[in-house]
Amino acid sequence: MSLNPEKASELKQIIHNHLTRINIHGKIRDVLAETVREELDHRPLSEEDFMRALQRRGIVDEVMRDLQFSQEIPDAEPGPSPKPATHFTDKEVTQLKKTNIDPTWRCLYLQVLGGKAFLEHLQEPEPLPGQVCATFTLYLNFRNQRFRSKPVPCACDPDLLEGFLLEVHKESLGDASKMADATTMLSISDPVHMVLIKTDPSSETTLVSSYFLDWRSVLSAPNGKTTMAIELLGVGSECKVPVGVLNLKLELYPPLTEKLTPDIITTQQSLERQRSAEKERLFLVYAKQWWREFLEIRPSNQSKLVKIFAQDENGVNRPVCSYVRALRAGRLLDSPRQAARFVSLLGMERAPVVGGGAKQEQWCSLLAFLCRSKGDSEDHATLLCSLLLGFGLEAYVCVGTKAKATPHTWVMTLGTDGTVTFWESLTAHRYLHRPIDPDAPPLVPQPKPSHPYRTIGCVFNHMTFLANCQPSDAVELCVFDLRNGSRWKAMSQEAIHSVCALGSTTTLCASPLDPAAASNQLELEMRHLVVEHRKDLGLATVWDDHLSYLLSAALAAYELERCTGVSCGNEEFQDAVRRAVPDGHTFKGFPIHFAHRNARRAFATCLRSPFCDEIVCCRGDHVRLAVRVRVFAYPELACAVWIMFACKYRLVP
């Protein structure tokens, strides 16, 4: 970190005043004299000996403990602020808070002591001061607790130095007032899920590794402390390839009075693996038998898209039902439609594949999907289904095809009155399903499907899996009476529960974004880009701040319509614009929506529209330009960005 000369001088003065106040020179002289007397007859006194003497007597600790830096915030004075309303200072303010540890709870302090052997970045040059470079960010999830490290520059040996305090008793384990002993904690099999994300200079994210850490080795460690090195593996087609090593230190607070032996921990872990493997084996045997029965119903069932298992980012085959959980968003999302809007703002990206051929199928765990903020249609659909289940709806993930027989997943909800609604998780669009009656007379009008879905092979959620055994798998002909065994073949709920039992899940996090500050910053950047673009064309730019402000109402109405499907407030906006545009003048406006905050990318996209280009490059008499940006924050890192360009000018014959 570099400081300007003024700040450096101020910092030096603060330290000098503090050292003078505590008489550090006198203390150093006393320690020096005492050390010389002790060591004079033995050997020459070195600088290291003197430093050890200072540390042994607590002088260094005393200085560092009492030295504090505080930023004084002057009292606000009445009157207008000298800075404009669009002033923006710092986007990433990190405030360190002291944590009070409940002495009746067991806590695990997990320290990351740095990374090693990230060989992909072996030739990465050292970043220059102020240079934007690719970064690593480590995310953790443990028993509904979420953590995130500070981003550090990508390197062969990245400086991932962080500490995370994990509460082992986050959820009540019976008697909450009773301190959990070693035996109780040995039965807590929830791992620490660690996800490493790489963010490049253009803010594109890549999932580097997903690792499940069994922390219970600390239960046998002396003094309740242990260190370890974990090897991180890649994801998808590279799930067997090492990507790097993380050095960790685990520590229990308060320390255990009785330790377990390593043999007990190893035996417990072995028993859990055997139990899990046996459940998976029995489910696989059942699934094969169920599949044979499904094929015997009719030969055409062989071609239906029935998905029982799917590979996660680590290449592990899991039942598709295990990707769905009833997920409650707390106060972060207010309605099912707002949940659909949130999911649609997460980016769409198919799993990368080296070389040609068919696409690489990869269903992500929820934490990996949320940390990367993008994924395939399966990731969007499972998250939306989980949120709708949390809102109390009867929701299912549908597996089928769209146009051109492209495999696709979406979400379906069933109303208590039999209403069938399809939810497109990539766009938040909703479609009401009206089936066609193939036995109706030719002259009877049939409903035309409004949705883009062609076929459906199966539906599932966290408790149910049903395969479509109707004569046709065309969506428009399907009857979604899921309790009718002649139309839908169900799997045993007991079998599904045995491999999809409820355990530790991932909760949503509130957005770290300040919408007003982000809107101001992006609007300033857009204004600068417009001015520069018009300057290249030899055009002057005059802004109309009042007209820019009026555009806010339209942007708020657009986002409300995306969330609720209801349009409102348009009349007031039109009336305000009519009042702001004088007689004989023309008004033009162009709204556009993005799910990112990269100003240059957004401006380049806008200019590709002839309507926007006509506004930005407007020529005429008394031309006034306006631009308004509204950033709407959603959970995690998702955001909806609305930008509206407008101009008014006098008509010239």
Side-chain angles (χ1 to χ4, degrees):
M1 184 179 76
S2 61
L3 293 175
N4 59 48
E6 182 181 349
K7 287 290 184 182
S9 176
E10 180 183 351
L11 183 60
K12 290 178 182 177
Q13 186 62 42
I14 293 175
I15 297 175
H16 175 74
N17 293 341
H18 173 70
L19 296 179
T20 303
R21 180 174 56 83
I22 65 174
N23 190 25
I24 189 65
H25 299 95
K27 294 180 180 179
I28 291 176
R29 281 194 297 269
D30 294 342
V31 173
L32 179 59
E34 183 179 350
T35 306
V36 168
R37 285 196 301 271
E38 293 175 355
E39 302 289 344
L40 189 59
D41 298 334
H42 299 83
R43 56 185 174 83
L45 183 65
S46 67
E47 182 179 347
E48 293 182 359
D49 295 331
F50 182 54
M51 288 301 298
R52 278 196 296 270
L54 288 175
Q55 291 176 342
R56 189 166 58 247
R57 287 160 177 77
I59 303 297
V60 176
D61 292 338
E62 181 183 353
V63 171
M64 298 307 297
R65 182 178 63 249
D66 296 337
L67 185 60
Q68 296 180 353
F69 300 93
S70 61
Q71 181 179 6
E72 296 183 0
I73 302 175
D75 294 333
E77 297 181 0
S81 171
K83 295 180 180 179
T86 54
H87 178 71
F88 182 68
T89 53
D90 190 4
K91 294 184 290 185
E92 301 292 338
V93 178
T94 303
Q95 295 181 345
L96 299 179
K97 299 180 180 179
K98 293 183 178 179
T99 302
N100 294 323
I101 301 177
D102 190 331
T104 64
W105 281 13
R106 290 287 186 195
C107 295
L108 175 69
Y109 186 49
L110 187 153
Q111 286 180 276
V112 183
L113 305 178
K116 298 288 183 184
F118 284 79
L119 300 181
E120 185 178 342
H121 303 278
L122 185 61
Q123 304 298 328
E124 201 112 337
E126 197 71 25
L128 299 174
Q131 179 186 3
V132 179
C133 61
T135 59
F136 281 140
T137 307
L138 185 65
Y139 295 83
L140 269 67
N141 179 58
F142 178 67
R143 311 196 82 201
N144 296 336
Q145 302 166 75
R146 295 273 303 275
F147 303 89
R148 182 181 72 172
S149 73
K150 300 183 186 70
V152 300
C154 293
C156 182
D157 300 331
D159 292 327
L160 279 166
L161 304 172
E162 289 284 349
F164 308 98
L165 190 65
L166 315 178
E167 294 173 338
V168 181
H169 256 187
K170 184 67 175 176
E171 296 173 348
S172 174
L173 297 175
D175 187 0
S177 62
K178 181 180 178 181
M179 175 69 75
D181 56 12
T183 305
T184 302
M185 289 193 290
L186 182 62
S187 65
I188 302 175
S189 59
D190 298 320
V192 180
H193 189 186
M194 310 173 71
V195 170
L196 185 64
I197 298 291
K198 176 184 175 181
T199 307
D200 65 20
S202 63
S203 300
E204 288 295 320
T205 55
T206 305
L207 176 61
V208 177
S209 182
S210 175
Y211 186 87
F212 291 90
L213 171 69
D214 193 329
W215 53 274
R216 290 174 292 179
S217 60
V218 73
L219 299 178
S220 64
N223 302 322
K225 302 177 182 179
T226 184
T227 57
M228 62 179 67
I230 60 172
E231 184 181 54
L232 301 181
L233 300 177
V235 296
S237 58
E238 301 176 11
C239 61
K240 305 298 182 184
V241 181
V243 296
V245 175
L246 284 184
N247 295 316
L248 305 179
K249 179 180 179 182
L250 304 180
E251 188 171 355
L252 275 178
Y253 287 107
L256 294 171
T257 54
E258 295 183 3
K259 307 289 189 301
L260 299 177
T261 64
D263 292 341
I264 293 178
I265 297 174
T266 304
T267 303
Q268 174 70 14
Q269 293 170 337
S270 177
L271 287 173
E272 290 172 356
R273 284 193 295 269
Q274 292 174 11
R275 193 180 304 121
S276 177
E278 179 64 13
K279 289 181 179 179
E280 292 171 1
R281 186 190 69 81
L282 292 175
F283 181 78
L284 181 60
V285 171
Y286 168 77
K288 288 181 176 179
Q289 177 62 31
W290 179 91
W291 177 248
R292 284 193 294 268
E293 294 172 357
F294 177 69
L295 295 182
E296 290 172 359
I297 296 176
R298 55 174 52 87
S300 62
N301 285 351
Q302 179 74 49
S303 62
K304 292 179 179 177
L305 204 54
V306 179
K307 188 89 178 157
I308 304 175
F309 296 94
Q311 279 193 357
D312 64 10
E313 67 267 23
N314 290 326
V316 178
N317 270 317
R318 294 167 46 190
V320 292
C321 296
S322 67
Y323 291 89
V324 179
R325 293 279 169 89
L327 180 61
R328 295 171 61 177
R331 300 190 183 277
L332 302 179
L333 297 169
D334 297 325
S335 67
R337 297 194 186 191
Q338 192 179 31
R341 175 63 171 157
F342 156 63
V343 175
S344 71
L345 292 171
L346 300 173
M348 166 64 182
E349 181 183 81
R350 299 192 183 282
V353 59
V354 179
K359 76 158 188 168
Q360 173 76 27
E361 184 181 74
Q362 175 183 306
W363 292 36
C364 278
S365 61
L366 180 55
L367 181 66
F369 177 42
L370 293 175
C371 295
R372 193 171 52 144
S373 294
K374 59 184 177 182
D376 211 335
S377 65
E378 295 88 357
D379 304 321
H380 288 78
T382 52
L383 174 57
L384 178 56
C385 183
S386 299
L387 289 169
L388 296 183
L389 288 168
F391 277 109
L393 301 181
E394 185 181 352
Y396 301 87
V397 176
C398 302
V399 180
T401 62
K402 294 196 301 184
K404 300 180 181 179
T406 305
H408 189 64
T409 55
W410 66 96
V411 179
M412 173 185 69
T413 54
L414 301 181
T416 54
D417 58 352
T419 303
V420 178
T421 306
F422 295 145
W423 302 64
E424 177 49 63
S425 56
L426 297 178
T427 62
H429 291 164
R430 301 167 66 253
Y431 307 97
L432 195 62
H433 173 63
R434 296 186 178 88
I436 294 175
D437 184 4
D439 300 325
L443 297 180
V444 173
Q446 298 278 15
K448 293 184 179 181
S450 58
H451 54 76
Y453 315 119
R454 296 292 179 264
T455 66
I456 183 168
C458 63
V459 300
F460 65 89
N461 58 23
H462 61 311
M463 300 192 323
T464 308
F465 185 94
L466 302 116
N468 183 5
C469 54
Q470 299 174 61
S472 172
D473 61 354
V475 176
E476 58 188 15
L477 299 176
C478 278
V479 177
F480 290 92
D481 180 9
L482 301 184
R483 290 160 183 78
N484 188 335
S486 64
R487 299 181 185 273
W488 297 90
K489 180 171 176 57
M491 270 193 173
S492 163
Q493 290 194 354
E494 290 77 10
I496 293 173
H497 181 74
S498 68
V499 289
C500 304
L502 186 63
S504 179
T505 186
T506 302
T507 57
L508 296 183
C509 285
S511 173
L513 196 64
D514 181 347
S519 301
N520 289 340
Q521 174 68 12
L522 187 53
E523 188 171 311
L524 284 174
E525 294 175 5
M526 297 305 294
R527 285 196 175 202
H528 174 73
L529 292 171
V530 171
V531 170
E532 292 298 317
H533 185 73
R534 287 177 63 85
K535 186 184 296 183
D536 292 341
L537 300 175
L539 300 173
T541 305
V542 181
W543 296 104
D544 187 332
D545 292 335
H546 178 62
L547 183 59
S548 296
Y549 178 73
L550 297 183
L551 303 180
S552 295
L555 300 183
Y558 296 151
E559 182 60 23
L560 183 63
E561 184 177 3
R562 289 289 181 96
C563 279
T564 63
V566 178
S567 177
C568 63
N570 194 40
E571 299 81 3
E572 293 87 349
F573 169 66
Q574 291 180 359
D575 185 67
V577 169
R578 290 192 189 99
R579 293 176 181 275
V581 178
D583 292 339
H585 285 63
T586 298
F587 170 83
K588 292 182 179 179
F590 175 78
I592 190 169
H593 168 262
F594 297 96
H596 64 81
R597 294 182 290 127
N598 188 310
R600 292 194 175 274
R601 277 174 55 198
F603 189 62
T605 303
C606 293
L607 289 182
R608 286 198 286 269
S609 167
F611 302 104
C612 183
D613 185 69
E614 184 179 341
I615 293 172
V616 173
C617 306
C618 181
R619 299 171 183 264
D621 183 26
H622 205 70
V623 176
R624 296 292 183 269
L625 293 176
V627 63
R628 193 65 170 175
V629 176
R630 282 293 307 274
V631 176
F632 297 88
Y634 285 84
E636 302 295 329
L637 299 175
C639 65
V641 178
W642 284 95
I643 303 175
M644 190 168 187
F645 296 93
C647 68
K648 64 178 182 179
Y649 58 93
R650 180 182 297 154
L651 290 173
V652 178

